[in-house]
Amino acid sequence: MNVLLLGSGGREHALAWKLAQSPLLTKLYIAPGNAGTALTGTNLPVGVNDFAAIKKLVLENQVGLVVVGPEDPLVNGIHDYFLADKALSKIPVIGPSKAGAMLEGSKDFAKKFMQRHDIPTAAFHTFSKETIEEGIELIHHTKPPYVLKADGLAAGKGVVICQDEATAVSELHALIMEERFGQASASVVIEQFLQGIELSVFILTDGISWILLPEAKDYKKIGEGDTGPNTGGMGSVSPVPFADPDFMEKVRTRIIEPTFLGLKEEGISYKGFVFFGLINVEGNPMVIEYNCRMGDPETESVIPRIRNDLLEMLIAAGNEQLSSVKMEIDPRHTATVMLVSGGYPDQYVKGKTISGLEQVSDSYLFHSGTTGDREKTLTSGGRVIAVTSYGNTMKEALEKSYVNAAKIHFDGMGYRKDIGFDVIKGTD
Ligand code: AMP
Ligand code: GLY
């Protein structure tokens, strides 16, 4: 089967690397891809939101399955676009319908969905231009920290946590009145601050059943010890020690199952990945956010732990036969360290030559923001390369990733030296 994978990050390189191992694969196309995905398939210069160009390449290349990496095309309705087109409607798209993608596309929708289905999450209220005064009142009558969330997609920058009233009021104003994220912040959710450790849980569903994938922990802050501004993610580890059978049973019964049944009950078509951004509040999982796709850099740690044929799994999801798939998980630990451009997550320079890639052994390199080829690879994003390793312990996996990270070089390169610090505390 020919497969088209949409996206261009480390998540997509990890998915492409795994798909390329499948005996069921004939040709793998990635649009637009990066220098890493070019090593596992054929990159095509088409944007993920250019549905007409995607249609053309699907038909020209006899693509039998489309896998959507990022959220944008899903929120923009690529699944529905395929279903509505006679020539495309039989080609399965892995990624939910526009209605399903609302779990990520609108915080207000996601919160109300959780409320309707009794899924544990922080208490919340939603405000807009008409009701901003009530939002300010709420801030004056509640205690910090204040959690403000732009309703729509804001490239991962839509959440602001404020430590005092005055900042919260001015941030609310900037989001709604000054339209910091345009239409995406026309509505803002203000929610209760939750204290706990976060983790990312993933399922794949065909709308009829679902399977649990390995969980992971992501390190979002730029600075060591979880300090400084948020990034797309500076590293990840899997498994997560506190996600023990007891905790995961709570996740299953209180969160995954009610979400799955809620979608079904509301007639929302969902074939694809659900990413549950969870927080462990004194042993009880609560939902921080839903995403309608896999996480990045979680995928770089999660995918290597899946022993199944990924293409077989995705074909089964496309054909609504996921219940026949039995997951086989690699018991080893994985650790991913993200190499980033100088200045990231603010302004950064692109086009730097990357050296040392051929020196790496015993780690996988999943490209996030690169262009060029094997001979000359250049940086082209804030997050540049994810270094992923296996280990019999988390420490061993981390050590390998760090040894190999140090062999790579580009001007301004940085990475966090403490990925997994909280997970390995007290372990060997
Ligand atoms: P999100 O973009 O929804 O993933 O939020 C970004 C980050 O903000 C999360 O990973 C959390 O660290 C933090 N956050 C979001 N909501 C809350 C909350 N209700 N309480 C505490 N922290 C939160
Ligand atoms: N790593 C968080 C995300 O993919 O949204």
Side-chain angles (χ1 to χ4, degrees), residues 11 218 220 232-233 275 289 291 293-298 383:
R11 166 182 51 215
D218 159 28
K220 284 203 173 81
F275 167 161
E289 62 165 354
N291 294 308
R293 50 166 176 90
M294 288 297 289
D296 193 350
E298 288 96 328
R383 295 193 293 174

Side-chain angles (χ1 to χ4, degrees), residues 11 71 104 156 200 202 217-220 231-236 275 289-291 293-300 383:
R11 166 182 51 215
E71 63 277 15
E104 176 165 3
S200 307
F202 306 94
K217 192 167 188 309
D218 159 28
Y219 294 81
K220 284 203 173 81
T231 68
M234 297 295 290
S236 62
F275 167 161
E289 62 165 354
Y290 287 115
N291 294 308
R293 50 166 176 90
M294 288 297 289
D296 193 350
E298 288 96 328
T299 304
E300 292 90 311
R383 295 193 293 174

Side-chain angles (χ1 to χ4, degrees), residues 313-332:
M313 280 167 64
L314 298 181
I315 292 172
N319 296 334
E320 303 184 350
Q321 310 220 304
L322 204 54
S323 58
S324 66
V325 172
K326 205 174 160 335
M327 283 303 287
E328 289 169 55
I329 306 297
D330 192 319
R332 285 176 295 173

